[in-house]
Amino acid sequence: MKKEIKLLSLVMITSSLMVLSCDQWRSAEVKVQVEETALNVVNLPANPLNIKETNSNLFSDFIYDVGPRFQPMTVSDLKKATSIRDFMSPETFHSIIDLKSVAVVAIKEDKTSNQQELGYTTDLTPKQLALLKTPNATLDFYIRIEFTAINLQTGQIEDTFDSPHYSVVPDTQATYVNGKKALLAFLRTRGKEAVIIEKVEARKLQPAKLHFTVTKHGTLDHIRLDRSSNYPKIDQLMIDLIQQTPDHWIPAKNIKGEQVNQELVVSFGLLGC
């Protein structure tokens, strides 16, 4: 009787081990299948040999934006500015422990100019204010603020800087009569067609910016590229597209309601910068 009980117990234990091993094997098999499936999804080919399809996907947003070169600030708002806190985010301004220097720098043709004024306080100096408040509705500038602050990630006190960039714009900016969305749709459609036709390669295309002025008469003038996109035909196309925009532009106006010139920029290419 004892032998029968021992035998029965042995059979039950063996069966349990077999079932457990089977379940573990099935679990491992499912895990491998899931991992293989995930690996296959990650490694799906991007069809790089199909130039037309690749170009269409890569350059769906060939035209990035149309507007002022940098963050816009109206002439009226600039006249009210007296301190660096008028140009910095509240978080950055309040993180300052020790202010070292403040440089106001004018930008000419997308480059740092010799028009610079240096100060050492949160309040802008008379010379800095004079530089910023010249009667120029298309002034581009940046303020480089060097200071000591606490790094919120490490908790360490570090030397750092902030350099907000701005474009001074009229109180009422120039606009395309059919709206910005319609203009971008026109530029993107025609731009993408050219990218496909010219078989543009992503690694060769350089980001570029097309500057143009909407005059106080609603015409376009001073059209220029800041650099080549590395494809001369694409460069010329962008100039032609701006010149050929359907319908017309509404001029900018100053605070007195007088029509004035305003420079705008089309950012295009593989990268927006």
Side-chain angles (χ1 to χ4, degrees):
M1 184 66 178
K2 291 182 178 179
K3 291 183 178 180
E4 292 177 353
I5 293 174
K6 289 181 179 180
L7 180 61
L8 180 60
S9 299
L10 182 60
V11 170
M12 292 177 66
I13 292 171
T14 304
S15 299
S16 298
L17 290 173
M18 291 178 63
V19 171
L20 180 60
S21 299
C22 183
D23 288 344
Q24 288 176 338
W25 177 81
R26 287 175 180 171
S27 177
E29 182 182 33
V30 170
K31 183 178 180 181
V32 170
Q33 289 177 346
V34 170
E35 288 178 349
E36 288 180 348
T37 301
L39 186 61
N40 288 337
V41 170
V42 171
N43 292 329
L44 283 175
N47 194 15
L49 297 180
N50 188 333
I51 295 176
K52 183 173 182 179
E53 181 181 336
T54 301
N55 282 344
S56 178
N57 291 336
L58 281 175
F59 303 108
S60 58
D61 290 327
F62 176 71
I63 307 296
Y64 286 88
D65 199 9
V66 178
R69 175 64 178 92
F70 303 109
Q71 180 178 342
M73 175 174 280
T74 66
V75 174
S76 295
D77 286 339
L78 184 59
K79 286 181 178 179
K80 300 174 186 176
T82 59
S83 165
I84 60 173
R85 70 185 307 160
D86 296 313
F87 303 95
M88 304 175 71
S89 69
E91 296 79 11
T92 304
F93 178 78
H94 291 298
S95 72
I96 297 175
I97 295 176
D98 180 37
L99 181 65
K100 295 186 174 182
S101 64
V102 177
V104 176
V105 184
I107 299 172
K108 300 293 184 182
E109 296 184 356
D110 250 12
K111 297 179 181 179
T112 296
S113 75
N114 293 326
Q115 289 182 276
Q116 305 181 18
E117 293 295 342
L118 189 63
Y120 301 94
T121 63
T122 56
D123 290 333
L124 299 179
T125 69
K127 289 185 177 180
Q128 288 175 329
L129 292 173
L131 172 59
L132 290 176
K133 298 177 182 181
T134 54
N136 186 349
T138 59
L139 174 69
D140 291 335
F141 69 93
Y142 70 90
I143 300 181
R144 183 180 175 89
I145 304 146
E146 297 190 2
F147 57 97
T148 301
I150 296 177
N151 187 315
L152 297 179
Q153 294 181 341
T154 65
Q156 301 295 316
I157 296 178
E158 298 177 350
D159 291 334
T160 185
F161 71 93
D162 189 24
S163 58
H165 287 55
Y166 287 91
S167 291
V168 182
V169 299
D171 286 77
T172 301
Q173 296 191 60
T175 56
Y176 181 59
V177 67
N178 292 326
K180 184 175 179 177
K181 288 185 178 180
L183 177 63
L184 286 174
F186 167 72
L187 295 175
R188 281 174 177 160
T189 300
R190 294 291 302 277
K192 188 161 69 171
E193 290 173 358
V195 163
I196 294 172
I197 293 173
E198 296 299 322
K199 298 182 179 180
V200 172
E201 297 181 41
R203 62 186 178 85
K204 293 182 179 180
L205 183 67
Q206 299 296 316
K209 295 188 181 295
L210 179 67
H211 296 249
F212 65 98
T213 297
V214 180
T215 71
K216 60 184 179 181
H217 304 294
T219 58
L220 302 185
D221 199 5
H222 302 299
I223 301 173
R224 63 179 179 84
L225 281 168
D226 67 337
R227 74 198 75 174
S228 173
S229 66
N230 210 27
Y231 283 88
K233 289 186 178 180
I234 297 297
D235 295 343
Q236 187 59 49
L237 170 75
M238 297 310 302
I239 294 173
D240 293 342
L241 286 181
I242 283 297
Q243 291 176 329
Q244 297 166 9
T245 48
D247 300 302
H248 61 278
W249 290 78
I250 301 172
K253 293 181 180 180
N254 61 23
I255 194 171
K256 298 178 181 179
E258 301 168 335
Q259 294 183 346
V260 295
N261 297 343
Q262 182 183 0
E263 184 180 74
L264 297 175
V265 178
V266 179
S267 302
F268 69 97
L270 183 59
L271 299 172
C273 69

